[in-house]
Amino acid sequence: MTAGKLFKSFLMAGFEGATHINRAGERLDMIAGSQHDTQVEGDYARLSALGIKTVRDGARWNLIDKGDGVYDFSSLEPMVEAAEKHGMQVIWTLCHYGWPDGVDVFSDEFVDRFAKYCGAVAQYISERTSGTHFYTPVNEISFCAGSAGEWGDFYPYAHGRGAELKKQLVKAAIAGINAIRAVDPGARMVHVDPLVHIIAPKDRPELAADAVKAQDEQFEAFQMLAGNLNPELGGSPAHLDIIGLNFYAGNEWEHFGERLAWHIKPRDARWTPLHELVEDVAQRFPDHPIILSETSHVGVGRAEWMHEITDEVAKIDPDVDFEGVCLYPIVDRFDWNDRNHWHNSGLWDFRRDADGTYARVINEPYEAEIQRAKKVFDGPNLT
């Protein structure tokens, strides 16, 4: 593994920023839910002290876009100011599963309105921050298309329209990129999606071909963005740009079967190590930098997972242009469908003080593994 030079720090941190309407019809605001909106300066300062200078954070479309070309940046302003104050490089997510009320995600209006919003955000950020600007136009296109268009988990709770929605989200992302680069020609794009491994169950070898097909579908959005699939959408290699891979312990499973257990030892021999999965992506998309854009675990398993991630990243072929690892979420988060269930998945858990403030409480074993990771990677961008 050769540490890249695109970002200020090889180790990055991400803040959960979903704004979709969940199963119960409730609009989420995960940035406000963790009080990152009011504690952003402290959050960035703590990361800077750890040597983490690159973060994934979010602009909330539904809060900024008031309709008819009117934009209110009051929700974004404190984050932009804090980033500049602490020298934090931000990869801004512009649509994290949610869009303004009254917008039909399947309509032409969705694409046009998203593009105009992207251009407005890029103008705002470029006027207030220096250096190269990074954006994730639409977070996890494949996962969002499945959740909102195929499985009915997110608004608009559609079924059987996942493929249609995937193309629509890619079309919107491409339009957004064009609008961003019209304002900021040097802007870079980081497109993220889950990295999964799917195999046939042991007792169903006849599903092997279907498992391969299901696994290959994870790359469709990247292929569309690159212009290799559905070229009428307008994609190109410049639109795909940087690839982000989100990898968790639950990302390997049997097709129509069980998940492969990461935590049970000895581990299932069919589990594919992360470094091999990353190298496969690099072969599919040569000339595109790659980052691990999300990874973490929960509870007492956080440190053990970080230990393995560190060792796996160190094994990545040095010919792969691998640019960094993003710990996500870096502060704890509640479940999308249950505000009373906290995942305990961040470097910082929360202690609710008497005034309602979520005080950040560091998980020391996790922190120790982060310090180890910095020594193991020893890349030119690690501080």
Side-chain angles (χ1 to χ4, degrees), residues 346-361:
L347 173 58
W348 284 281
D349 291 322
F350 296 149
R351 181 190 69 242
R352 188 180 178 90
D353 290 344
D355 63 357
T357 298
Y358 290 149
R360 275 55 170 150
V361 180

Side-chain angles (χ1 to χ4, degrees), residues 24 52 151 192 199 216 293 296 312 343 372 382:
I52 295 176
W151 313 314
V192 308
I199 57 175
D216 286 347
S293 43
S296 69
E312 284 296 310
H343 287 193
R372 171 182 176 268
L382 279 174

Side-chain angles (χ1 to χ4, degrees), residues 178-229:
N178 292 340
I180 291 168
R181 287 182 171 155
V183 171
D184 184 359
R188 302 295 301 269
M189 304 300 139
V190 182
H191 299 284
V192 308
D193 242 333
L195 175 64
V196 303
H197 176 57
I198 307 171
I199 57 175
K202 291 180 179 178
D203 58 350
R204 299 288 304 279
E206 73 277 8
L207 292 179
D210 288 342
V212 171
K213 182 177 181 295
Q215 175 157 311
D216 286 347
E217 287 176 355
Q218 71 180 298
F219 303 117
E220 287 180 347
F222 292 154
Q223 295 285 12
M224 292 177 192
L225 288 162
N228 300 327
L229 186 65

